[in-house]
Amino acid sequence: MNIRGSGAVLAVLVMGTSLGMVAVMPPAASADTADYKILAGDQATNKILRFDPATSTWDDWSWSPVAAGITGTAAENFNGGNDFRVRATAEGPSQLVVVDGEGLIAKVDYETGEPLWSTSVDRADNLHSVELLPDGNVAVAATGTGYVRIFQAAGSGSTAVSAKFLLRNVHATLWDPGIRRLWVAGSPLDASGKEYQVLKALEVTGPASAPGLREDSARTQVISTSTDAVHDVAADFNDPDKLWITTNSRVQTYDKTTRQLAGGGTDIDRNAVKSISAQPSGQIIQTKADQYRVPQVICGSPVNGWCTATLDFFNPAKSVTRSGAQFYKARLESPFYGVRDHAQRGRVFDTAGGTTVKVDNNDKISRIEATAGADGRMHVLTLIQGTGMWSRTRDANGVWEESATNLDSNPQITDAALVVDGNGVQHAFTLIPDHSIWYRTRPLNGDWDGSSTRVYRGADIRSIAAVVNPTSGRLHLLMARTTGVWEQSTSAAGVWSTPTWIDKNPDIADMAAAALPDGTLHLFSVTAWGGVYHRKGTDTAWEIGASPVPLGTESPAIGQVRSLAVAGWPSTQLDLVTLRSGLGLWNQTWTTGGTWAAPVRGDAAPGSIQLYAARPGGLLHVGRISELS
């Protein structure tokens, strides 16, 4: 096992979607309301075993590296796994990732057990946690030598280590798809040399081929000022705002919104809990070291402070003991990173001319889009998960409507695009992920169409954008798919064209489009790892190649772009606004001469989630969703 002392821990792994992608649904055999089977690493048999809570029996499934065909000393000395996770992937079958105290790190096909990638480190590192990242790479935590590392486990399967973050006694790693951060927990020393317990959030930067790690210091949370070592950090399946945290003496919950800790509840809040999981039904599963039970139970030879033969359940309560077993951690067979991969959300603010106003006080908004008309009015769409898309207008005098109108109540909408033509007609597009794009209009001073019309159907749509040519009045719908960007446009008679492939980059995560008074169209895209590109076009053709946008030389701003927006007409310049995670909003202009100005920080709010840009009356307005905190 190579676990040292009662303070040792093993970390968590949780999977979700990368920017612009939708959550991977669970296998058909696991309904949303059904509880998952449980994996437990047995140090006695040196295998990962599986328990079915529905029948309270251990089934005949097991996994070990040698049986799977992995060779080497770390595989031969495998002790049952210090951490392991099943994760759904967009490209194929679910994967199992495993780390072990003897140094093994492995990623395997969960259905067949066959290895997809593996490597090993020195056993002195004492690996305690593993995480499968959205790009296919693997993050691990080593308590012995105090590091979090990312291994290039995607694509060619390189074993190169491209990122390292030092954290003393690090015991937990947990990917959070909502905020796109890697939670880690450990026991550093303060300035006086005294140990304390801390939860940190790390941003995974760069492409899969050259990943990096950067601390999001605004999310750092001190868990304890004592030597009460952290053991586990886990997501709550039913609450996207909650983390479960276990230490030597307690089980607590952490609210990511209020950033407050609270007790885990009667019976659940106890000492020596090495792992915790929360089922969809609300039932909690823990492993607690037998040495700390009352009366004490003997586990391991020699007796140690980390293993147990029992899985403990709460709400409802029961215990399941496997005679002779030596479990350290137990994990749900859930394919999710966490709780359903909920998006971030918050309130909407608009800034223009140095003045910021709150546009919408609803704290559950996860997406915004905006456009401006020739009459000086501005129109905003807000997406509230579960209730659909809402519309709100700012009049030419700068007054926002008091309430928004629910223009589409479909709860599956994940993205939208909004433009207004020269006649003041609004054109709204909504995306049902991996399914279809729908379209409706609102005439000047009129109401929205009573229903939407489907304009495209496809199984791989990630993001959408739209632009209207102010000269011809033709609409252009842009779709980021797994194969790149495709375009549909209207004819002079308003008939939609057949989709055309205009950009073959498969990694585009977000897009924005704008037009200039000369009739040129401009498409901006950001890749999943932060590169921004600009492509010019007309009603009939787009440039063959896209040009990279220079993002400046200031560090750490480079490569952190997560979302973007652009405003053009009626200005003779383009105003590009980029959201750089943890760094706020940055403004950058482009003139028709083709020159980019250096980016300037416009709004330093680190909690910005998503943004828009528009020019009602010729004044640039930048909107943002501010993360609820």
Side-chain angles (χ1 to χ4, degrees):
M1 182 67 180
N2 197 27
I3 291 182
R4 301 191 178 100
S6 61
V9 78
L10 186 159
V12 181
L13 175 100
V14 176
M15 176 167 188
T17 59
S18 60
L19 179 64
M21 295 187 69
V22 298
V24 178
M25 298 303 289
S30 298
D32 291 348
T33 56
D35 281 354
Y36 293 97
K37 292 184 178 182
I38 300 164
L39 303 184
D42 183 18
Q43 313 295 313
T45 61
N46 300 327
K47 296 179 180 179
I48 299 175
L49 307 177
R50 189 168 66 187
F51 177 78
D52 187 346
T55 60
S56 290
T57 59
W58 297 89
D59 61 29
D60 58 3
W61 180 93
S62 67
W63 186 87
S64 68
V66 172
I70 300 176
T71 60
T73 302
E76 294 168 358
N77 294 335
F78 183 69
N79 258 345
N82 281 10
D83 201 8
F84 32 84
R85 284 286 183 174
V86 176
R87 290 294 168 248
T89 60
E91 65 276 10
S94 293
Q95 296 176 0
L96 173 71
V97 285
V98 182
V99 291
D100 187 70
E102 291 297 317
L104 178 72
I105 311 169
K107 180 170 72 169
V108 306
D109 184 314
Y110 184 57
E111 293 182 4
T112 65
E114 296 178 358
L116 302 172
W117 170 89
S118 66
T119 190
S120 62
V121 298
D122 193 299
R123 69 187 305 272
D125 289 2
N126 201 8
L127 295 174
H128 266 64
S129 180
V130 63
E131 176 64 292
L132 182 63
L133 298 175
D135 62 5
N137 284 339
V138 173
V140 302
T143 186
T145 44
Y147 66 71
V148 177
R149 284 180 176 174
I150 296 178
F151 284 84
Q152 294 177 34
S156 63
S158 167
T159 58
V161 180
S162 297
K164 183 177 181 179
F165 181 83
L166 297 178
L167 179 58
R168 184 177 177 271
N169 287 335
V170 61
H171 270 68
T173 59
L174 174 69
W175 177 256
D176 190 322
I179 62 172
R180 295 185 296 276
R181 296 291 190 274
L182 183 69
W183 291 108
V184 299
S187 308
L189 302 177
D190 64 19
S192 67
K194 179 182 177 182
E195 178 183 314
Y196 66 102
Q197 312 307 313
V198 67
L199 177 71
K200 292 178 178 288
L202 306 182
E203 180 184 9
V204 180
T205 66
S209 60
L213 286 171
R214 184 174 70 102
E215 182 177 356
D216 182 352
S217 58
R219 299 184 189 275
T220 298
Q221 173 70 38
V222 174
I223 299 169
S224 171
T225 57
S226 71
T227 56
D228 187 25
V230 178
H231 286 290
D232 203 5
V233 178
D236 189 303
F237 194 95
N238 297 291
D239 189 344
D241 291 327
K242 181 188 292 185
L243 296 177
W244 288 93
I245 300 175
T246 76
T247 67
N248 274 346
S249 66
R250 298 204 63 184
V251 174
Q252 297 172 281
T253 61
Y254 177 65
D255 189 313
K256 292 185 289 182
T257 298
T258 63
R259 306 192 182 185
Q260 298 294 315
L261 290 162
T266 304
D267 297 329
I268 295 173
D269 188 356
R270 56 187 190 151
N271 70 329
V273 172
K274 304 300 184 178
S275 70
I276 187 167
S277 297
Q279 290 273 26
S281 65
Q283 189 172 52
I284 303 297
I285 301 100
Q286 295 180 355
T287 55
K288 173 185 170 80
D290 281 349
Q291 185 177 352
Y292 298 95
R293 294 179 184 272
V294 179
Q296 188 181 80
V297 181
I298 302 301
C299 183
S301 181
V303 176
N304 60 67
W306 54 260
C307 81
T308 180
T310 302
L311 305 183
D312 294 317
F313 297 77
F314 303 92
N315 301 327
K318 69 175 181 179
S319 292
V320 175
T321 299
R322 184 179 174 94
S323 180
Q326 298 178 25
F327 300 132
Y328 176 56
K329 277 194 172 179
R331 295 286 187 222
L332 297 187
E333 191 195 37
S334 165
F336 295 114
Y337 269 123
V339 289
R340 267 297 183 187
D341 303 345
H342 286 268
Q344 289 173 278
R345 57 204 187 283
R347 300 180 174 94
V348 176
F349 294 83
D350 179 89
T351 299
T355 300
T356 298
V357 298
K358 185 185 294 183
V359 176
D360 199 314
N361 197 46
N362 191 309
D363 61 13
K364 295 180 174 58
I365 297 169
S366 62
R367 188 82 184 177
I368 50 174
E369 294 292 331
T371 189
D375 57 2
R377 296 196 300 174
M378 187 165 75
H379 312 281
V380 173
L381 295 182
T382 54
L383 171 62
I384 301 175
Q385 288 194 325
T387 67
M389 194 67 66
W390 298 71
S391 168
R392 187 188 299 262
T393 294
R394 175 188 181 274
D395 67 25
N397 296 318
V399 179
W400 287 95
E401 290 180 328
E402 285 191 19
S403 59
T405 300
N406 191 191
L407 71 93
D408 195 323
S409 60
N410 192 318
Q412 295 178 299
I413 296 171
T414 60
D415 197 8
L418 179 66
V419 292
V420 61
D421 64 25
N423 297 318
V425 178
Q426 295 180 58
H427 302 263
F429 300 85
T430 51
L431 170 63
I432 308 300
D434 287 339
H435 187 270
S436 53
I437 299 172
W438 297 77
Y439 166 68
R440 72 176 70 199
T441 64
R442 181 184 184 183
L444 182 67
N445 300 320
D447 296 324
W448 285 102
D449 294 339
S451 60
S452 295
T453 301
R454 186 169 61 202
V455 295
Y456 180 81
R457 183 168 186 168
D460 62 347
I461 316 164
R462 296 174 174 174
S463 179
I464 60 174
V467 62
V468 62
N469 189 323
T471 302
S472 67
R474 291 177 60 178
L475 282 171
H476 295 260
L477 170 64
L478 301 150
M479 303 167 282
R481 298 167 55 187
T482 56
T483 54
V485 179
W486 293 70
E487 179 203 36
Q488 277 186 277
S489 61
T490 58
S491 66
V495 178
W496 286 100
S497 67
T498 301
T500 303
W501 199 4
I502 67 170
D503 191 323
K504 297 185 178 181
N505 189 329
D507 297 321
I508 291 174
D510 193 24
M511 299 185 300
L516 290 176
D518 61 4
T520 57
L521 308 179
H522 300 264
L523 170 64
F524 293 86
S525 58
V526 57
T527 65
W529 300 106
V532 178
Y533 295 87
H534 173 209
R535 185 186 300 266
K536 291 178 284 184
T538 65
D539 276 339
T540 57
W542 290 87
E543 289 183 340
I544 294 177
S547 302
V549 176
L551 298 177
T553 58
E554 64 281 354
S555 178
I558 296 174
Q560 309 302 328
V561 176
R562 288 294 178 261
S563 186
L564 47 73
V566 63
W569 185 88
S571 173
T572 57
Q573 71 178 27
L574 294 171
D575 291 277
L576 176 67
V577 186
T578 52
L579 168 58
R580 308 183 185 203
S581 54
L583 298 169
L585 306 183
W586 294 67
N587 298 343
Q588 204 166 353
T589 60
W590 180 88
T591 62
T592 53
T595 303
W596 281 105
V600 177
R601 180 174 288 188
D603 189 329
S608 297
I609 299 169
Q610 213 257 330
L611 72 160
Y612 65 70
R615 277 189 168 273
L619 179 65
L620 178 65
H621 284 246
V622 175
R624 61 178 169 84
I625 300 175
S626 182
E627 181 185 27
L628 182 63
S629 63

